[in-house]
Amino acid sequence: MARTDFQRAQVAFSVSSVSIPPSEDGPKQWDLPEGGWHDLIETATRGVFEMMLGCTLTRVSLATSPEGDITAMVGLAGGLCGVVSIRCSLATANLLASKMLGIDTAEAESATRDALGEIANVVAGSVKAAVPGLEDTCFLSTPTVVIGRDFKVYSLGNSTSTAVPFEVEGSAVWVILDVHH
Amino acid sequence: MKKVSVLIVDDSAVMRKIVERSLRQAGIEIERVLEADNGASALAVIQQNVPDMIFSDVNMPTMDGIEFIRQLQSVESAKGVPVVMITTEGSQTRVMEALSLGAQGYIRKPFTPDQVRAQVAPLLEGK
């Protein structure tokens, strides 16, 4: 296990393993847009990046699984149970922090984890806002940030995972929604 | 509109900076920024310095924003200080709870400076 840093830890979900079954577009009890979770995640994430960071994300196709040395996670509980994660390299997270704060990357280095956690928080809020009926029934945890790439996350039941890769200034950023059933 | 002192309550230091920047971009003239990372520390700050306006997150450890404004009601020196909630939570139940406890505005993350101005400017009229 690589070094793991639980920043601002308030872990509302198990963080000891990851089981990522093949991506599915979610159960039918939610009124999702035509493109399912993929399009919903894309719309929510692009909106957050444009408003908070002033940058445009490009959705890309990557053959790899989500990877990166920093992962910010926000738990969902209630009407939708699961985890929203954002994963990328530390350099990319540092770039995002600099854009968020409007300062250069060297100056933003100490704020990198906090910034990625907040991005995950707002993306999670936007995802739940996009699903009719979830606003009053689904609640968010505060963010948890994990540093390291050699870890797995297991949920305590069945879950489906939808991972959407984006590119910002040539760097990959993954947004992942794990829904627990 | 005179320069105002603001208290920004959020467990994320990054978000506190973004709120401050958005207020400045919205044309709010800020004399002093006070910061706290949860409701309990915000109440302690207010004991020393009463701001002209308070911006508070909802989801925070130790004391969340809802409990903060509930307890703020009994702080005599802070009577009349407008509170604006800034949060990712769009729950109408939470919004109504915050407003019923005395919050005077509600801004949802992510937000633009225009949205901040629309909420804040009316609250600062006459100050």
Side-chain angles (χ1 to χ4, degrees):
Chain A
M1 174 88 58
R3 66 197 167 98
T4 304
D5 178 4
F6 290 96
Q7 187 202 23
R8 304 164 65 207
Q10 193 172 89
V11 183
F13 42 86
S14 161
V15 185
S16 54
S17 66
V18 170
S19 175
I20 302 183
S23 178
E24 294 179 12
D25 273 346
K28 297 299 177 192
Q29 67 260 38
W30 294 296
D31 184 14
L32 301 178
E34 198 172 309
W37 288 120
H38 286 90
D39 283 8
L40 191 146
I41 291 168
E42 178 181 0
T43 303
T45 308
R46 286 168 67 97
V48 170
F49 273 65
E50 281 166 17
M51 286 179 80
M52 285 181 76
L53 287 78
C55 67
T56 303
L57 280 180
T58 307
R59 184 168 157 184
V60 294
S61 295
L62 295 176
T64 61
S65 296
E67 58 183 9
D69 12 53
I70 181 165
T71 307
M73 298 182 281
V74 171
L76 306 165
L80 176 66
C81 292
V83 182
V84 172
S85 309
I86 296 187
R87 189 164 189 182
C88 61
S89 69
L90 274 170
T92 304
N94 184 215
L95 172 70
L96 300 181
S98 75
K99 287 183 172 296
M100 202 169 167
L101 288 165
I103 56 181
D104 64 37
T105 50
E107 203 180 342
E109 200 169 325
S110 62
T112 295
R113 291 178 297 182
D114 187 358
L116 199 68
E118 271 309 306
I119 294 169
N121 185 32
V122 182
V123 168
S126 297
V127 165
K128 86 163 190 167
V131 182
L134 284 187
E135 281 287 40
D136 277 309
T137 62
C138 177
F139 302 95
L140 307 180
S141 74
T142 52
T144 295
V145 179
V146 178
I147 304 289
R149 52 175 56 236
D150 185 15
F151 67 91
K152 292 184 175 182
V153 177
Y154 293 100
S155 66
L156 298 177
N158 295 326
S159 70
T160 53
S161 182
T162 305
V164 183
F166 297 95
E167 197 175 271
V168 55
E169 296 189 8
S171 302
V173 176
W174 289 86
V175 179
I176 306 131
L177 171 66
D178 292 300
V179 175
H180 303 165
H181 306 292
Chain B
M1 201 183 296
K2 70 161 189 168
K3 288 190 173 185
V4 293
S5 63
V6 297
L7 169 60
I8 303 172
V9 190
D10 198 305
D11 54 327
S12 162
V14 165
M15 193 49 71
R16 294 197 298 269
K17 291 290 175 211
I18 287 172
V19 172
E20 178 186 346
R21 188 181 65 192
S22 297
L23 287 168
R24 293 185 192 281
Q25 288 173 338
I28 310 300
E29 292 200 62
I30 297 175
E31 181 180 54
R32 185 178 188 190
V33 178
L34 304 165
E35 297 186 31
D37 61 4
N38 65 69
S41 52
L43 290 169
V45 168
I46 291 166
Q47 295 298 326
Q48 304 298 317
N49 297 283
V50 178
D52 295 310
M53 195 162 199
I54 300 170
F55 297 87
S56 178
D57 188 15
V58 173
N59 284 342
M60 294 179 287
T62 310
M63 183 189 290
D64 69 18
I66 300 293
E67 181 59 24
F68 165 55
I69 49 173
R70 181 177 286 120
Q71 293 199 20
L72 188 64
Q73 301 313 304
S74 59
V75 179
E76 197 59 38
S77 60
K79 289 268 190 278
V81 175
V83 181
V84 174
M85 309 307 288
I86 299 186
T87 180
T88 53
E89 285 286 353
S91 158
Q92 284 305 304
T93 307
R94 299 282 269 180
V95 172
M96 294 311 293
E97 189 177 12
L99 295 177
S100 70
L101 287 168
Q104 290 177 267
Y106 204 93
I107 298 171
R108 184 159 186 179
K109 301 173 191 173
F111 50 81
T112 63
D114 283 346
Q115 290 168 328
V116 173
R117 187 186 302 113
Q119 285 280 326
V120 174
L123 300 176
L124 290 176
E125 280 175 11
K127 282 199 177 277

